[in-house]
Amino acid sequence: MSWYYAFFFISGFCSLLYEVVWLRLTAAQYGVTIAMTSIVLSVFMAGMGAGSLLSGIASRRYGDRLSWSPLRLYAGAELIIGSASLLVPVELLFGRHLLEAWSGGFSTSSATYYLASGLLVALTLFPWCASMGATIPLAMWAIRSEERPEAKRSFSFLYTANVIGAMIGAIVPVYFIEKYGFHGTLFIGTGLNALIAGSALARSVRWRRTISSPAAEQAPATAAKPQAAAADGPRVMTLLFLTGFATMGMEVIWIRLYTAFIGPLVYSFALILLSYLAATAVGARIYTRKRTSGGSRLPWILLGLLSLMPLITADPRVPIIAPFRVILGVLLVSGVIGFLTPMLVDHWSGGDANRAGKAYAINVLGCILGPLFASFVFLPHLSERVSLAIFSLPWFAMLAPWPGSKPLTFKSRIYGIASVVAALAILLFTHDYTNLFPKGDILRDSTATVIAAGKGMDRKLLTNGVGMTSLTPITKMMAHFSLASLDHPPHSMLVICFGMGTTFRSARTWKIPVTAVELVPSVPKVFSYFHKDAEQVLASPDAHIVIDDGRRYLERSEQKFDVIVIDPPPPVSAASSSLLYSVEFYSIARRRLAPHGILAQWLPYGDSADIAAVTRALTETFPYVHIYQSVSGWGWHFFASMDPMQDRSADDLVARMPAAAVTDMMEWGPAKTPPEQFQLMLSHRFKPEEMIALAPQYPALHDDRPLNEYFIVRALDGASRRVK
């Protein structure tokens, strides 16, 4: 059985590798919206469920007809998965081109767009994900054909190996992506899948020789009978659905709860996933050793209490180091789920691949619906704590009589009531990060929890507890410096990332049409919290706010803009932020600039590799790039154009501004006069060569090599330094 363990350890590793990379490649082609992320994850899980179901049915229909080992089918599935790493990037790119050709009449945020793009994503990913889902039933089929005594519990054995591999797959591919890029990482996955397929094929040949021997031909065929009676079916399937539904739904809530402490980084999300998978693997391993039949309802009741543990570890009053908040909050509930899930499938299937395939498919169905309910039903209308409580309710319902199960013992009932009391105490007495802003405005939507808080110039905007921006003259200068630098009177401007709306508001003082694109629907709704004249600004027919992914909007828009301002959300290393810093993005923006137009990129800070990579990306896309430090003495403004930009004096820049724009620029200083305001930037100009020289060994930032997001290796090596 060690061969099978190795197969599924590597297979689990590859599955996580593909999920991470495919999710990111899809975002680059179709947009970084929560709807698109949900579509990709749903397709991924649906494909796995369908593959599990169909391969299980195949094992029932053809199990006694094969004259060769089912391991060959398993090897074929692994080869198909490996080939996907080469084909999926091409298919995604082709699908986007098809969408662009079809969607001339689609609005940039329409349900029609998501329907069309979702269909293309499904056509791309579903077959490969189905092959992943088919692997466990196919391997169970092979194990059963070998008449091994372990066959009755083969699902839990393979499941444990798969989860442990996935746990490693949550860590190591992060290193691969930093060193080799997304496509290089996919090639590594292809090699590993090929290794599994080749080894399985070699083993299948040996299997054939074994059954061809006279002794094997005379041995009577035996089939393991499922341990569970038919009457157990509804109960087992309901519990499997609920474990998938609750687990994946809670993962969405965990991200909301913990982002305030660990940040919106790829490493932060990897930590949550790693904690979940590691605990799940431990739980599954304990089950395989304990060999319990699972008759007690007490673990399920305990699961309800443990589901609320993240509310304790995400309480800002509890003094815990950030990573341990995640680990301690996720560990116990995930471990119990890891114990219970394979127990249910083993109990129901008894080693039968067909039954296991059906059971796993039901579990996957719950995994599909859980995140969708969390993202689009619960979190937009309820707090994180209430949403988490809803996911815990089914387990507390186990205190009630359950058809076909034994009554709770007195001891179990006491433990159950104590769990309910403890759960109520957690809900009543714990706080989350939103309690730090009792007088702020709190809005929730499917993308994020948005907080507008503070008074006067200390007002701040946070999404999922992470500070986005503050009231600062820097954001005003993004508009005024770029518009005043044009060689002609401006006619239009685009702002990617609305934030507090300061840049958008400042641009409107030029009396030109201004469009702002914002990813989080609730962010523009707090515009009036930061600016008293927000309603007046929005009342103009020339003020447009679009809820969409900024890059996708540019790809689909036919409009040309004199100025495009890009103000990505902090930190510079935020997950998916490189899609607004890359050569591919700048190439898209270049096509949307009007003749003699200017692209204004804000880079607040970063290490030397980030700065050099962004500068290279701009200089490889635009022949003319000017760089200035901000009026506040930190961060850099990059101004890029396809045409020469004049070196204007401070007085000349002021002379080109409308009176209302000058007044707006000086609202918060810091200089005393308008020329001095511009001079603060003009006196701190940098050449692109100077910025590249900070880390000349790093290439331009590309979609395939997001250097700003993946930085652990160079940070540990001391290969770059923080620059402010």
Side-chain angles (χ1 to χ4, degrees), residues 48-64:
M48 292 189 67
S52 175
L53 181 63
L54 294 175
S55 59
I57 293 173
S59 72
R60 175 173 59 82
R61 291 184 177 179
Y62 306 106
D64 298 328

Side-chain angles (χ1 to χ4, degrees), residues 681-704:
M681 289 179 59
L682 294 173
S683 60
H684 294 88
R685 180 174 173 178
F686 297 85
K687 295 180 180 179
E689 295 80 10
E690 295 178 83
M691 309 300 271
I692 293 173
L694 292 172
Q697 70 272 32
Y698 290 98
L701 200 154
H702 282 267
D703 286 350
D704 190 55

Side-chain angles (χ1 to χ4, degrees), residues 588-710:
I588 296 167
R590 182 181 61 193
R591 297 196 297 269
R592 297 293 173 256
L593 280 176
H596 306 286
I598 293 176
L599 180 141
Q601 171 76 69
W602 169 244
L603 185 66
Y605 51 81
D607 65 16
S608 54
D610 294 334
I611 298 167
V614 170
T615 305
R616 283 187 183 274
L618 281 165
T619 55
E620 288 186 9
T621 311
F622 295 93
Y624 303 97
V625 178
H626 293 183
I627 307 170
Y628 302 91
Q629 198 169 56
S630 77
V631 293
S632 297
W634 59 273
W636 293 271
H637 297 278
F638 291 77
F639 300 99
S641 179
M642 295 302 296
D643 304 287
M645 293 178 287
Q646 294 188 28
D647 294 326
R648 300 186 184 279
S649 67
D651 290 328
D652 187 16
L653 290 169
V654 174
R656 300 173 65 82
M657 297 176 66
V662 174
T663 302
D664 175 82
M665 182 178 71
M666 299 307 298
E667 182 180 9
W668 302 328
K672 295 181 179 180
T673 67
E676 290 175 343
Q677 184 90 340
F678 278 118
Q679 193 59 39
L680 287 173
M681 289 179 59
L682 294 173
S683 60
H684 294 88
R685 180 174 173 178
F686 297 85
K687 295 180 180 179
E689 295 80 10
E690 295 178 83
M691 309 300 271
I692 293 173
L694 292 172
Q697 70 272 32
Y698 290 98
L701 200 154
H702 282 267
D703 286 350
D704 190 55
R705 292 287 303 278
L707 295 172
N708 61 315
E709 298 179 45
Y710 295 85

Side-chain angles (χ1 to χ4, degrees), residues 47-48 51 76-78 80-81 126-135 138:
M48 292 189 67
E78 292 289 353
I80 291 172
I81 297 168
F126 192 88
W128 317 113
C129 297
S131 297
M132 292 182 187
T135 54
L138 290 176

